[in-house]
């Protein structure tokens, strides 16, 4: 907490340079949005880095340039960011991928590197657990699977929304393997009844669950302000969870110019998922109530009852 207080003024320094930032403990990310044809992006970032350098010198800190990375997200035109930025005399060239809080990001945000990393790590832990399975009771086995495998599938999984089916399938294969390991179901048997028995939502529904939880928190003052700003139109007044008519404005075609934005942006996905919820779930008075009702509703969507 004391370190966060100590670092707080740095955000004002960065915003004073026309850039934005996110700070988490000792990790600070500054970012700037610019047109693909803009030529002054490098200069703006360089001025911002200079201001950061000065602030750190005045406050007895020094940033390690070897651990400072630059990522440009967008199309093929780089607007000059192909040229290296300089920090402490060290060139900071734009990289083909960086890791942010444990998530691998690439310039086109395909998330394929992140998914591959999660799948590789999850299967490694499944292999280790499988070797111990004969010596573990059911409770311990369940704890290990959740702690070492399922937690990896759920970590930052809101970033996977809208990914191609071939990428999502890789994550689903991991969950299926975890369910088979936990229950002893053979590969030749259909996995959906097993997932339903375990009350495990499939990957796609787990992602929707995370996005909707973030949406509820943002609308009710429990989440970051920048998410709420992407959900409500500028003219909207404060909305509380007590209103059953809470609906979110969807992006227009003009606002979501790119196909990728329409499919994956939080400001586009969250209103669509939220407006599809039954009114009584949107009007849940508490986060715990919303969470319980939402999981039940998604469970029914994932495993609809069979009419006999």
């Amino acid at each position: 907490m004391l370190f966060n207080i100590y670092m707080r003024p740095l955000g004002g320094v960065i915003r004073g340079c026309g850039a934005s930032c996110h700070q988490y403990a000792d990790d600070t990310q500054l970012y700037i949005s610019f047109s693909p044809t803009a030529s002054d992006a490098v200069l703006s970032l360089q001025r911002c880095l200079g201001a950061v350098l000065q602030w750190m010198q005045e406050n007895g800190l020094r940033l390690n340039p070897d651990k400072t990375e630059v990522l440009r997200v967008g199309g093929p035109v780089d607007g000059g960011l192909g040229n290296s930025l300089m920090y402490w005399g060290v060139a900071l060239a734009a990289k083909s991928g960086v890791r942010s809080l444990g998530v691998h990001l690439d310039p086109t945000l395909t998330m394929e590197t992140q998914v591959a990393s999660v799948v590789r790590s999850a299967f490694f832990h499944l292999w280790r657990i499988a070797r111990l399975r004969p010596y573990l009771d059911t409770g311990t086995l369940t704890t290990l699977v959740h702690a070492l495998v399922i937690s990896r599938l759920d970590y930052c999984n809101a970033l996977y929304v809208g990914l191609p089916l071939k990428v999502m399938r890789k994550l689903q294969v991991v969950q299926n393997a975890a369910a088979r390991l936990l229950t002893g179901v053979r590969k030749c048997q259909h996995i959906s009844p097993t997932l339903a028995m375990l009350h495990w939502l499939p990957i796609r529904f787990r992602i929707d669950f995370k996005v909707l939880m973030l949406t509820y928190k943002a609308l009710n003052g429990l989440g970051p302000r920048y998410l709420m700003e992407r959900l409500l139109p500028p003219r909207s007044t404060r909305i509380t969870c007590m209103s059953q008519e809470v609906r979110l404005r969807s992006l227009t075609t003009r606002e979501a110019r790119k196909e990728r934005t329409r499919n994956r942006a939080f400001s586009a996905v969250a209103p669509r998922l939220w407006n599809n919820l039954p009114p009584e779930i949107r009007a849940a008075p508490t986060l715990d109530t919303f969470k319980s009702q939402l999981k039940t509703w998604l469970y029914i969507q994932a495993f609809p009852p069979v009419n006999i």
Side-chain angles (χ1 to χ4, degrees):
M1 179 63 70
L2 291 176
F3 184 78
N4 288 338
I5 295 173
Y6 190 77
M7 292 293 293
R8 183 177 175 83
L10 180 59
V13 172
I14 295 173
R15 288 186 289 270
C17 298
S20 301
C21 70
H22 286 301
Q23 293 177 279
Y24 183 81
D26 63 342
D27 183 89
T28 300
Q29 302 173 6
L30 61 91
Y31 57 95
I32 185 171
S33 176
F34 58 93
S35 168
T37 58
S39 58
D40 59 346
V42 172
L43 294 177
S44 297
L45 284 175
Q46 192 67 65
R47 286 194 297 267
C48 191
L49 287 174
V52 170
L53 173 60
Q54 181 180 354
W55 183 88
M56 287 193 165
Q57 288 178 327
E58 294 173 352
N59 289 273
L61 298 173
R62 178 168 181 174
L63 188 146
N64 188 349
D66 294 331
K67 295 184 178 180
T68 303
E69 300 175 311
V70 179
L71 178 70
R72 180 194 159 274
V73 178
V77 182
D78 65 7
L81 270 184
N83 302 323
S84 297
L85 296 167
M86 299 297 297
Y87 193 77
W88 279 101
V90 177
L92 304 177
K95 295 196 171 185
S96 58
V98 300
R99 190 173 181 180
S100 174
L101 300 180
V103 177
H104 296 271
L105 301 176
D106 59 85
T108 55
L109 298 181
T110 62
M111 304 304 296
E112 291 186 5
T113 302
Q114 167 66 11
V115 170
S117 175
V118 169
V119 171
R120 183 170 57 252
S121 176
F123 271 124
F124 171 72
H125 287 291
L126 283 174
W127 173 77
R128 296 177 66 190
I129 296 172
R131 297 183 65 184
L132 296 173
R133 190 176 188 275
Y135 313 102
L136 300 175
D137 58 80
T138 303
T140 303
L141 180 62
T142 301
T143 299
L144 284 176
V145 170
H146 278 279
L148 299 177
V149 180
I150 302 302
S151 63
R152 283 176 163 78
L153 297 178
D154 289 341
Y155 180 69
C156 292
N157 62 345
L159 297 174
Y160 304 150
V161 66
L163 290 181
L165 182 61
K166 65 176 183 178
V167 180
M168 299 285 286
R169 174 62 182 166
K170 297 177 182 179
L171 297 171
Q172 188 60 59
V173 168
V174 173
Q175 187 189 41
N176 295 349
R180 296 184 192 280
L181 174 63
L182 190 58
T183 61
V185 172
R186 294 178 297 177
K187 290 185 178 180
C188 60
Q189 296 177 268
H190 195 49
I191 196 61
S192 291
T194 303
L195 295 178
M197 183 268 294
L198 292 171
H199 280 260
W200 286 8
L201 293 174
I203 294 298
R204 180 173 68 85
F205 292 93
R206 299 177 84 92
I207 294 172
D208 290 350
F209 177 83
K210 180 66 72 64
V211 173
L212 287 167
M213 286 292 292
L214 290 173
T215 305
Y216 182 91
K217 290 180 180 180
L219 289 175
N220 292 279
L222 303 175
R225 181 180 296 273
Y226 63 83
L227 285 184
M228 184 173 182
E229 292 173 349
R230 285 159 176 76
L231 291 176
L232 302 178
R235 62 182 178 276
S236 295
T237 58
R238 183 176 180 272
I239 292 180
T240 67
C241 60
M242 299 305 294
S243 172
Q244 293 194 7
E245 300 303 322
V246 177
R247 296 181 65 87
L248 299 176
R249 179 175 63 89
S250 301
L251 292 180
T252 64
T253 304
R254 182 176 181 180
E255 290 172 322
R257 293 183 294 274
K258 297 183 178 179
E259 182 70 25
R260 186 175 299 170
T261 299
R262 290 198 292 271
N263 291 336
R264 297 186 56 193
F266 180 79
S267 54
V269 174
R272 173 174 56 82
L273 295 177
W274 179 264
N275 293 338
N276 286 337
L277 289 177
E280 60 272 17
I281 297 181
R282 296 199 305 265
T286 66
L287 180 62
D288 288 340
T289 301
F290 177 80
K291 182 177 180 179
S292 176
Q293 294 179 351
L294 174 62
K295 185 172 182 180
T296 300
W297 185 78
L298 288 175
Y299 181 87
I300 296 173
Q301 306 304 308
F303 309 107
V306 178
N307 295 324
I308 300 178

